[in-house]
Amino acid sequence: MTLARILAGTSSALAVLSLSGCGLLWNCTDSTAERGEAGVRVEIVDESGRPVGVSAEVTGWRREPHPQVPADGDQIHFDIRFEGAGQGSEPAVDPCAVDEKRVVLGCQTMYSAQVFGPKGPYTGDHYLEVEHPERVDEVLLIPDDQSSEDRRTCEDDIKDGGGVHPPEPPGVGDRL
């Protein structure tokens, strides 16, 4: 077999593989969305910054001990409402307790499906544990939908992973 025939056969095989969606090298890329602007009321957005049709709002908050563990001292007890959730849309946001300079004292991811109370579905209250509850000035919501944070990455699966992922949740000391 001549070198020309081998090269011609190899080129044909590569062309067929490329056209069929198979390739020798996977072009898998991961990226992280930028964190949206925190607020008391936010329109929840997907990884590309488009609204998902659901809003979330902190309707009030107070410092008080959790009734099941009063010995732990004060925690941040806040009321939250999701509007537009349901019918296949169950987003998650990060409520964060911040000080007067909007420095994070504590955050927790909260799914709209977790929120229910006497005022109906998607309206309820929750406790947020922070180290210094006396420093809390406000409870803010990060608008980025965190419900898809378990999407595969390139590291997990080079063929089916990749794409834009939600931003990392804020940590204690971050400024919003």
Side-chain angles (χ1 to χ4, degrees):
M1 203 177 220
T2 68
L3 182 59
R5 282 187 182 179
I6 292 173
L7 290 175
T10 304
S11 296
S12 298
L14 288 174
V16 169
L17 284 173
S18 295
L19 291 173
S20 67
C22 299
L24 296 176
L25 297 174
W26 298 111
N27 189 13
C28 188
T29 58
D30 282 317
S31 61
T32 302
E34 288 199 29
R35 187 178 299 145
E37 182 69 29
V40 173
R41 179 176 169 78
V42 297
E43 292 293 320
I44 301 172
V45 296
D46 65 13
E47 292 88 0
S48 58
R50 290 186 304 257
V52 299
V54 179
S55 64
E57 179 179 12
V58 174
T59 58
W61 70 272
R62 56 225 164 263
R63 271 184 290 276
E64 63 187 28
H66 191 290
Q68 294 175 339
V69 284
D72 288 353
D74 284 345
Q75 293 183 18
I76 303 305
H77 185 189
F78 66 96
D79 301 308
I80 187 168
R81 177 177 56 230
F82 287 87
E83 292 179 7
Q87 290 96 35
S89 176
E90 299 295 343
V93 294
D94 291 321
C96 298
V98 298
D99 68 10
E100 62 190 20
K101 295 180 181 175
R102 294 176 66 119
V103 173
V104 173
L105 301 172
C107 292
Q108 181 176 348
T109 300
M110 195 170 191
Y111 290 80
S112 62
Q114 292 175 296
V115 179
F116 53 89
K119 295 180 181 177
Y122 308 113
T123 301
D125 64 323
H126 196 73
Y127 284 86
L128 184 61
E129 188 174 340
V130 298
E131 190 171 338
H132 296 285
E134 70 281 358
R135 292 180 34 207
V136 174
D137 187 60
E138 201 169 14
V139 176
L140 301 176
L141 300 171
I142 307 297
D144 305 288
D145 182 8
Q146 293 291 325
S147 65
S148 62
E149 67 184 44
D150 61 350
R151 183 185 301 168
R152 291 181 178 271
T153 64
C154 292
E155 188 175 296
D156 297 330
D157 186 343
I158 197 165
K159 181 178 176 231
D160 298 322
V164 181
H165 301 279
E168 291 292 319
V172 173
D174 288 353
R175 185 174 288 205
L176 300 181

